[in-house]
Amino acid sequence: MAERRVEASGEETAGFELPMLLFAGFRSILDELHRELAEQGHADVRPAYGYALQAVGRDGATASEIGRRLGVSKQAAGKTVEKLEGLGYVERVDDPRDGRRKLVRLTARGVDVLVRSAQGFDRLRARWVGALGADRVRAMEADLRAMVPEGAFRIDVPGWFND
């Protein structure tokens, strides 16, 4: 049975609750974002695709580079690229620097979903500010930055969950 602690507020909490609450907050934001994206014509996009599109980046990337950025194998990255290509979010083109390689690039649809995602994240943060207040949200962000190790803003979440 989990050990319970009494917080300063008088509430009892168990150690496992903090990561679960953080994950639930993360998940609720992503779920709401994806509901919005579906309403905006991107019903086929999944959270993992967002990370992959970020890994492709503005200049494009090879499947190997995408795999490294995501922390997954080249084969796993290749399967994701195939799916994204089939959905019209990326295209494969000859690498202008090396004709033997294929470069994965964002299509207009891929750029559109990333722009809409950024706007959606801003709207969702504003909703949290409306519910909790700007000071509390800024304090929560500052507290998380203080506790999170350096370099934690990475896009290899899919690979991390698969370790």
Side-chain angles (χ1 to χ4, degrees):
M1 188 153 186
E3 179 183 331
R4 300 187 77 62
R5 297 182 190 99
V6 177
E7 296 293 315
S9 66
E11 290 185 42
E12 282 191 33
T13 62
F16 70 88
E17 290 183 53
L18 177 61
M20 295 304 292
L21 287 168
L22 290 169
F23 183 72
F26 171 79
R27 179 71 192 258
S28 69
I29 288 171
L30 285 184
D31 287 349
E32 182 62 25
L33 175 70
H34 284 271
R35 278 192 290 279
E36 288 181 11
L37 290 173
E39 292 168 3
Q40 297 169 8
H42 294 285
D44 47 10
V45 76
R46 302 289 173 259
Y49 299 167
Y51 293 106
L53 293 170
Q54 295 269 341
V56 170
R58 294 176 188 258
D59 298 326
T62 65
S64 293
E65 292 167 332
I66 294 167
R68 276 193 302 278
R69 292 172 186 172
L70 293 175
V72 299
S73 69
K74 177 183 174 182
Q75 292 77 15
K79 286 181 183 180
T80 301
V81 167
E82 274 183 40
K83 184 70 173 173
L84 290 171
E85 188 175 30
L87 295 170
Y89 290 104
V90 299
E91 62 185 354
R92 294 181 213 221
V93 298
D94 290 332
D95 186 335
R97 296 172 305 235
D98 183 347
R100 297 168 295 173
R101 296 183 343 158
K102 288 289 185 184
L103 196 62
V104 179
R105 289 193 319 204
L106 298 172
T107 63
R109 182 167 169 77
V111 171
D112 181 64
V113 76
L114 286 177
V115 168
R116 288 176 187 271
S117 294
Q119 293 167 343
F121 281 128
D122 288 343
R123 274 192 305 278
L124 291 165
R125 185 185 183 281
R127 187 176 303 154
W128 280 48
V129 166
L132 302 174
D135 290 342
R136 287 184 69 192
V137 171
R138 277 194 301 271
M140 177 175 44
E141 290 169 337
D143 289 344
L144 288 168
R145 281 187 191 98
M147 296 305 298
V148 171
E150 192 70 30
F153 289 122
R154 300 178 355 206
I155 61 170
D156 67 347
V157 172
W160 183 76
F161 275 114
N162 292 327
D163 280 349

